[in-house]
Amino acid sequence: LDFTINNKITIIYGLTNGHIYRHTIEDKILEDSVKIHESGINKLSIHNNLIYSCGEDNSISITDFNTLTLIHKFKQYHSSPIKSLKLHNDYLITGSYDQKLNIFKITNNTLLHIKSIKTCVSEINDVDLSSDNLILAVGQGVEIFRINQ
């Protein structure tokens, strides 16, 4: 993911070692890195200066964008690696190899668990949410769900 901060292009990314890295392109230097996950990071997304990440360690993490400080880590919602993470307005949806989707409301820099959905899709690799509240789960199959807000 890349962003412009103080007129400098900044890249944020995660690797298989569980670290989140922040680089400034103009300076060609690594600004900072921090180990957030026990193993590989599968997805990152940024919302309101917070980095939301999911990984092979079955967890979802919230990290401060500016300081790269871990704010929260949630391990109780999936029993297998989390491969997908989607932000939509103030909602976060995760999908995992455990065939579950979890829906969270983002509130006060934390996650409020709204709903868990067991799917028929094994090895969920991606999720998406349409403007009319349809969730698409894709993996070894496809399934669509309608959510009520």
Side-chain angles (χ1 to χ4, degrees), residues 43-58:
K43 296 279 182 172
L44 293 174
S45 196
I46 296 176
H47 177 70
N48 292 336
N49 286 322
L50 297 175
I51 303 168
Y52 294 84
S53 60
C54 64
E56 292 293 314
D57 60 357
N58 311 348

Side-chain angles (χ1 to χ4, degrees), residues 101-118:
L101 296 174
N102 279 294
I103 303 169
F104 302 89
K105 173 84 170 147
I106 300 169
T107 178
N108 299 322
N109 296 343
T110 192
L111 299 176
L112 175 64
H113 188 252
I114 303 294
K115 188 175 192 173
S116 185
I117 301 170
K118 183 70 173 178

Side-chain angles (χ1 to χ4, degrees), residues 29-43:
I29 59 168
L30 172 65
E31 280 188 10
D32 211 354
S33 73
V34 63
K35 186 168 178 76
I36 297 297
H37 290 271
E38 295 165 23
S39 53
I41 296 174
N42 293 323
K43 296 279 182 172

Side-chain angles (χ1 to χ4, degrees), residues 46-127:
I46 296 176
H47 177 70
N48 292 336
N49 286 322
L50 297 175
I51 303 168
Y52 294 84
S53 60
C54 64
E56 292 293 314
D57 60 357
N58 311 348
S59 73
I60 306 159
S61 295
I62 303 173
T63 305
D64 183 277
F65 180 86
N66 297 310
T67 64
L68 289 188
T69 303
L70 179 66
I71 297 173
H72 292 289
K73 191 168 194 172
F74 304 91
K75 290 185 167 188
Q76 68 269 35
Y77 296 107
H78 288 284
S79 60
S80 294
I82 304 170
K83 297 291 188 172
S84 55
L85 176 142
K86 177 69 175 183
L87 285 168
H88 182 74
N89 297 327
D90 288 332
Y91 289 91
L92 174 76
I93 301 169
T94 58
S96 169
Y97 274 17
D98 62 9
Q99 296 183 264
K100 287 194 321 190
L101 296 174
N102 279 294
I103 303 169
F104 302 89
K105 173 84 170 147
I106 300 169
T107 178
N108 299 322
N109 296 343
T110 192
L111 299 176
L112 175 64
H113 188 252
I114 303 294
K115 188 175 192 173
S116 185
I117 301 170
K118 183 70 173 178
T119 73
C120 294
V121 179
S122 63
E123 299 182 8
I124 297 172
N125 285 310
D126 204 6
V127 295

